Amino acid sequence: SAVQGYLEYLRISQGGGSAQSAWADSYDITATLRLLRLLVKYGKDMQHIFAEQLQLTPTRPWRSIVPQLFARLGHSEPRVRELVRALITRIGAEMPHAIIYPTVVGHMEVESGGGGAQSKELRGILESLRQTRAELVTDVERVISELARCTILKEDELASVLQEITQSISGGLRMMREEVLRVRDNATLSEPDRLRILKEKYDAITKPANLALEPVKKLFMSCADCDHDRTFVATYRQPFFDALKAFREPDVYHADAAWEPMKVLMRSLNRQLRRTSLSLRSLSPFLSGLRSTDIPMPGVAVEEESDQKRVTVHAFQGHMELLLTKTKPKKITVVGSDGQEYTYLLKGREDLHLDERMMQLLTIVNTFMRQDRASHARDLSARHYAVIPVGPRSGLIQWAQGTIPLFGVYKAWQSRQQAAAEGSKDVQSMRPSDMFYEKIMPALKEYGITKATSRKEWPHEVLRKVYTQ
């Protein structure tokens, strides 16, 4: 059968040792991907063949498609999940560094999400690794947890929540001001009735904001794990709870000013968020203290398990650079066992699993391009970088040295265009997002749509019109 033919090819192709040509690598990728497709589609009907043959197949060719194997651990057919788990376990037995990150991160994700079809399989793979490399598993689990914690700092989270509430509550407080004028001028109402009506109206308007503020309390009540968090709690705990009390117990005749203490807190937070670097020791004493570990360097390909060829984490540099963009990513540098420095962007609020798969696709494309004579002669390849998820919405992105942001190119072009048109170089260029909102809001107003309306409900024809402008 095709299954037996592909498996026999993989067995024969590995007989010449570890060194392989680009031709052999591309054929191996083709064979493993087709075998995985057959397993996914017909695994239930052909389980006896797969169960017997996958135990004998060499693991080296399968390392190139490890992300695809992990993706199939959620297959609806239990037997298919078991066969995939057994294959990943074999890869881990021969080369634990090749699967340690997706295993640990995947297990943390499904456990925090309440389990699922993948939970049992990932737990089994993790336990197999723990039996042979317990210290490695423990170290990687701790590193992943620390990186995930450093991704979104407490002040980042607080500022983000307060900013969202400010945008949503402003319209309601304007309505409250109008309601105060209406009720105050109503001579038929007694003072207790006025207070009761205004209180009920205020509670109704601010209910969504109060619900959003409730989880924020946990930022100040959870245990502070580092000096940075302890300083945050000491600095902002009392101002936050004072502002929360002022918001929840306002003078109803001046309720439109109830959010002002929170705005004062936000201004203080914004000054804090303008910092461009932080001491890693203050954020994570654990990461700062790591030395000469066996933890594999994230995103560095491992061809052999020998200590001479593996690059592991020797230490983290002492400072973390903060980028002043919307998601507040952090730039970190890790020193490898080979003496080289590896720089990453620690990014949150985004699911990087798709980015990881796209980079793996480019890696596979490069393998096929190397075996194509015309492409090889022209030295064609797709530039890519490593992406390593460390959580459902966070991960490490390999820093691309010698590059500049695309917005920087756009901004320089925009400044030249405006200066040429107006004959002056002292022109403030607008961000693309500001230009977009400057045009979209009047267009939406024509349709009777306000800024508070969800973007999912914005008419497509309006969006197309604005984008073409």
Side-chain angles (χ1 to χ4, degrees):
S1 68
V3 172
Q4 292 171 321
Y6 284 128
L7 288 168
E8 181 65 14
Y9 163 76
L10 292 178
R11 186 184 66 80
I12 295 173
S13 71
Q14 302 305 304
S18 60
Q20 289 202 152
S21 67
W23 290 80
D25 287 339
S26 64
Y27 292 149
D28 286 352
I29 291 172
T30 300
T32 51
L33 287 175
R34 289 181 179 176
L35 278 168
L36 182 59
R37 183 183 180 193
L38 290 170
L39 173 61
V40 169
K41 291 189 69 175
Y42 308 110
K44 184 178 180 180
D45 299 326
M46 303 177 66
Q47 57 181 293
H48 61 288
I49 297 177
F50 279 110
E52 177 183 347
Q53 296 296 323
L54 285 179
Q55 293 179 3
L56 305 175
T57 183
T59 61
R60 186 185 184 280
W62 295 93
R63 296 173 200 162
S64 298
I65 64 164
V66 162
Q68 280 80 5
L69 294 176
F70 274 91
R72 298 308 179 185
L73 288 175
H75 196 275
S76 58
E77 177 56 47
R79 188 54 181 155
V80 172
R81 296 199 300 268
E82 292 173 8
L83 290 169
V84 174
R85 181 189 68 185
L87 179 55
I88 295 175
T89 301
R90 286 190 59 222
I91 296 173
E94 295 183 14
M95 186 176 283
H97 290 75
I99 69 165
I100 185 67
Y101 281 113
T103 300
V104 170
V105 173
H107 181 259
M108 287 181 171
E109 288 181 4
V110 297
E111 290 300 310
S112 63
Q118 292 177 294
S119 181
K120 177 184 175 183
E121 316 305 336
L122 285 165
R123 193 182 306 117
I125 297 169
L126 188 63
E127 288 306 314
S128 296
L129 285 173
R130 206 184 295 276
Q131 289 174 9
T132 56
R133 303 297 295 271
E135 185 178 356
L136 174 63
V137 171
T138 301
D139 287 346
V140 171
E141 284 178 333
R142 184 68 188 277
V143 167
I144 293 297
S145 297
E146 289 293 299
L147 288 173
R149 187 177 61 81
C150 293
T151 302
I152 306 295
L153 303 179
K154 287 181 181 290
E155 58 264 35
D156 294 335
E157 190 170 349
L158 178 59
S160 176
V161 172
L162 294 183
Q163 182 63 37
E164 289 182 10
I165 295 176
T166 299
Q167 293 175 355
S168 62
I169 199 68
S170 57
L173 292 178
R174 285 195 298 270
M175 291 173 52
M176 190 64 201
R177 184 165 58 245
E178 296 169 1
E179 183 71 6
V180 168
L181 295 174
R182 186 184 67 81
V183 171
R184 180 182 285 167
D185 294 340
N186 191 333
T188 64
L189 294 174
S190 65
E191 184 62 18
D193 286 339
R194 290 193 184 99
L195 292 174
R196 177 182 55 79
I197 292 172
L198 291 176
K199 182 68 166 61
E200 290 175 355
K201 183 71 173 180
Y202 181 81
D203 289 345
I205 288 174
T206 60
K207 183 177 180 180
N210 276 312
L211 290 174
L213 284 168
E214 198 61 30
V216 177
K217 293 187 199 177
K218 296 179 182 178
L219 293 176
F220 301 96
M221 295 180 176
S222 59
C223 179
D225 299 314
C226 59
D227 290 343
H228 180 83
D229 288 353
R230 284 187 282 271
T231 300
F232 168 82
V233 172
T235 305
Y236 294 107
R237 185 182 189 281
Q238 196 59 47
F240 171 76
F241 281 101
D242 288 346
L244 183 63
K245 183 178 180 180
F247 180 63
R248 290 181 170 177
E249 302 174 9
D251 174 0
V252 290
Y253 284 114
H254 301 89
D256 55 328
W259 191 249
E260 287 304 316
M262 282 295 183
K263 289 183 178 179
V264 173
L265 176 60
M266 288 174 62
R267 287 193 287 271
S268 176
L269 274 172
N270 287 334
R271 288 193 293 270
Q272 178 89 348
L273 294 175
R274 293 194 190 104
R275 294 171 303 175
T276 57
S277 69
L278 284 173
S279 165
L280 185 61
R281 180 177 293 277
S282 71
L283 281 172
S284 175
F286 174 78
L287 293 179
S288 177
L290 283 177
R291 294 294 183 275
S292 301
T293 74
D294 194 38
I295 301 169
M297 184 64 67
V300 177
V302 181
E303 293 299 328
E304 299 297 334
E305 186 64 11
S306 65
D307 292 339
Q308 293 79 13
K309 295 189 177 182
R310 278 192 288 108
V311 180
T312 57
V313 173
H314 173 70
F316 281 76
Q317 282 197 352
H319 283 80
M320 181 181 288
E321 185 179 337
L322 308 182
L323 277 65
L324 304 180
T325 55
K326 184 177 180 181
T327 56
K328 301 293 188 296
K330 285 82 181 171
K331 184 179 177 183
I332 62 174
T333 301
V334 187
V335 180
S337 56
D338 58 353
Q340 300 295 317
E341 293 184 352
Y342 297 82
T343 305
Y344 301 91
L345 194 67
L346 180 60
K347 194 170 187 180
R349 297 193 176 104
E350 285 188 28
D351 185 353
L352 297 179
H353 289 83
L354 180 59
D355 299 68
E356 177 196 29
R357 296 292 286 274
M358 288 302 299
M359 292 303 108
Q360 190 217 6
L361 172 63
L362 293 180
T363 303
I364 292 174
V365 167
N366 284 342
T367 301
F368 283 100
M369 291 178 74
R370 284 197 304 270
Q371 63 89 23
D372 180 75
R373 291 177 180 174
S375 299
H376 182 71
R378 298 168 61 190
D379 195 25
L380 295 180
S381 64
R383 178 71 182 273
H384 60 284
Y385 46 85
V387 178
I388 308 95
V390 298
R393 290 180 58 79
S394 60
L396 291 170
I397 301 175
Q398 183 183 19
W399 188 265
Q401 299 288 355
T403 60
I404 59 174
L406 186 59
F407 176 63
V409 178
Y410 166 81
K411 188 175 180 180
W413 170 84
Q414 187 184 51
S415 297
R416 290 195 302 270
Q417 293 291 106
Q418 291 179 339
E422 302 182 22
S424 172
K425 293 188 178 181
D426 298 326
V427 179
Q428 294 294 324
S429 58
M430 293 180 65
R431 295 183 302 172
S433 58
D434 294 336
M435 294 176 63
F436 171 72
Y437 278 104
E438 186 182 63
K439 293 179 179 294
I440 192 68
M441 298 318 299
L444 290 173
K445 191 174 181 180
E446 294 178 4
Y447 280 74
I449 298 173
T450 65
K451 189 177 180 180
T453 305
S454 171
R455 291 188 61 157
K456 294 180 180 179
E457 300 176 14
W458 292 1
H460 289 175
E461 59 269 23
V462 176
L463 291 170
R464 280 193 292 267
K465 178 182 177 181
V466 170
Y467 279 124
T468 54
Q469 293 176 354

